[in-house]
Amino acid sequence: MPVPRRTLGTGAAALEVSAQGLGCMGMSEFYGTGDDRGSIAVIHAALDAGVDFLDTADMYGPFTNERLVGQAIAGRRDDVVLATKFGNERREDGSRVGVNGRPDYVRRACDASLQRLGVEHIDLYYQHRVDGSVPIEETWGALSELVAAGKVRHLGISEAAPETIRRAHATHPITALQTEWSLWTREVEDDDVLATVRELGIGFVAYSPLGRGFLSGTIRSIDDFEPTDFRRHSPRFQGENFAKNLELVERVREIAAARGVAPSQLALAWVLAQGPDVVPIPGTKRLAYLHENIGALDVVLSPADLAALDAVAPIGAAAGARYADMSTVNR
């Protein structure tokens, strides 16, 4: 069965993508040791299956994930809807400079990403985080110039507040907002972010739709993570928060078992059921998990299923903050 398609954005900003994308971040950083050969095999398998929406960013690695994706898509550019991001500035040694939305940096970052990816244009270019020291109109004025120059086809923004979204969209139409959304991160439903993008006709790209792997049901202990895995220091994976969140996952597991599907498939099906303007981008570096995730596209949830999931994972059910430092989120 072919992978269904969805459209992000409207009018001239519309971009058709596979109904599920592939997040590539964890192939290079944050989720333990990487395996470039295995990751390239996962990207190729995704493209072969019809999952063509690939998501990366310059800061992943830093820079190495874009190079990896570029290597994987060499010779297959026409098979890919390629998304990358700028704005979380890092140095080659991995140290962090900070959030940067200055126009001169936007232009340099785009050129550097094009070179690393080995492509002539980026299909969807996101502002990864909003720079509170630079008026959003200045950042988006520079982005609009990149579209006019043919270096970028469509624009997106990540983790932005409703008023910021409106101001950016008034400067240049936004194709997609990328923000965390899953059964354990539902705040976008209650803080006007979702209502704003739907009012403006902006698509929604849901990152971490499996709750950083928690909703897969395979994580039972902090010791399941490698020493370099950032989840060891994430608030939701600490102490009492971890125990409470395991209880939430167990309830999701029970519903999944009753449906005869994997917990990850149930969690992804829930995100997909939130509307035709929503595209989840689960990340993985393992072929088995890729195929399991794609299988979620065949899972149709009934009103009773959705009600049961709302009951066990309501807004605010997860214990702990999403990040140790939330200062650059929802600006």
Side-chain angles (χ1 to χ4, degrees):
M1 181 177 176
V3 169
R5 314 285 293 171
R6 290 191 170 184
T7 300
L8 300 169
T10 54
L15 175 65
E16 185 180 284
V17 301
S18 52
Q20 183 182 116
L22 176 62
C24 299
M25 179 188 77
M27 297 174 177
S28 300
E29 194 181 13
F30 302 112
Y31 287 91
T33 306
D35 171 10
D36 285 359
R37 181 177 296 179
S39 294
I40 289 172
V42 168
I43 293 172
H44 287 169
L47 297 177
D48 292 342
V51 174
D52 65 0
F53 187 32
L54 303 183
D55 185 89
T56 182
D58 57 3
M59 66 91 67
Y60 301 158
F63 313 122
T64 56
N65 194 241
E66 284 187 328
R67 295 186 184 109
L68 174 69
V69 171
Q71 182 180 351
I73 67 173
R76 302 192 64 171
R77 181 65 182 93
D78 292 342
D79 299 335
V80 179
V81 180
L82 182 60
T84 192
K85 314 176 195 74
F86 76 93
N88 273 324
E89 188 177 3
R90 296 177 70 183
R91 302 181 183 90
E92 285 282 352
D93 65 3
S95 59
R96 296 174 185 270
V97 179
V99 176
N100 193 341
R102 295 192 301 272
D104 61 333
Y105 176 72
V106 174
R107 299 182 190 102
R108 293 199 312 272
C110 180
D111 287 343
S113 287
L114 288 169
Q115 183 176 28
R116 285 188 291 266
L117 290 162
V119 298
E120 294 182 353
H121 73 272
I122 295 162
D123 295 304
L124 179 58
Y125 198 40
Y126 291 102
Q127 183 175 6
H128 205 167
R129 290 292 186 270
V130 176
D131 185 346
S133 69
V134 178
I136 197 69
E137 291 81 2
E138 292 186 13
T139 303
W140 277 67
L143 286 169
S144 186
E145 292 173 5
L146 294 176
V147 174
K151 295 181 178 182
V152 173
R153 296 282 173 86
H154 299 84
L155 301 179
I157 195 166
S158 180
E159 293 287 1
E163 182 57 27
T164 302
I165 295 167
R166 291 184 184 279
R167 289 169 57 193
H169 189 66
T171 305
H172 188 98
I174 299 175
T175 292
L177 170 77
Q178 184 176 138
T179 289
E180 188 171 353
W181 196 10
S182 71
L183 278 169
W184 83 336
T185 301
R186 299 185 56 180
E187 287 73 18
V188 295
E189 302 169 49
D190 206 29
D191 61 8
D192 290 333
V193 170
L194 186 60
T196 298
V197 296
R198 285 187 163 153
E199 175 194 336
L200 299 174
I202 298 168
F204 197 110
V205 175
Y207 78 81
S208 292
L210 295 176
R212 295 179 170 78
F214 222 149
L215 292 167
S216 69
T218 60
I219 298 168
R220 312 306 294 172
S221 165
I222 197 74
D223 294 326
D224 290 336
F225 303 133
E226 294 182 35
T228 57
D229 195 308
F230 94 104
R231 288 171 292 185
R232 281 185 170 271
H233 309 288
S234 174
R236 290 191 174 177
F237 293 85
Q238 304 302 311
E240 291 185 3
N241 289 344
F242 191 96
K244 290 179 180 178
N245 290 328
L246 274 180
E247 293 176 9
L248 184 156
V249 171
E250 189 57 37
R251 295 194 292 270
V252 172
R253 281 167 59 93
E254 291 170 359
I255 297 172
R259 278 295 315 267
V261 300
S264 60
Q265 292 175 327
L266 183 72
L268 288 171
W270 180 86
V271 176
L272 289 160
Q274 300 312 301
D277 55 346
V278 180
V279 177
I281 52 168
T284 186
K285 48 191 174 185
R286 299 184 185 179
L287 283 170
Y289 290 162
L290 171 72
H291 294 304
E292 183 174 279
N293 292 344
I294 293 172
L297 294 164
D298 296 325
V299 178
V300 178
L301 300 182
S302 69
D305 293 328
L306 293 170
L309 288 167
D310 277 339
V312 303
I315 297 171
R322 295 194 284 133
Y323 294 101
D325 177 8
M326 292 283 288
S327 63
T328 64
V329 172
N330 205 28
R331 280 186 170 181

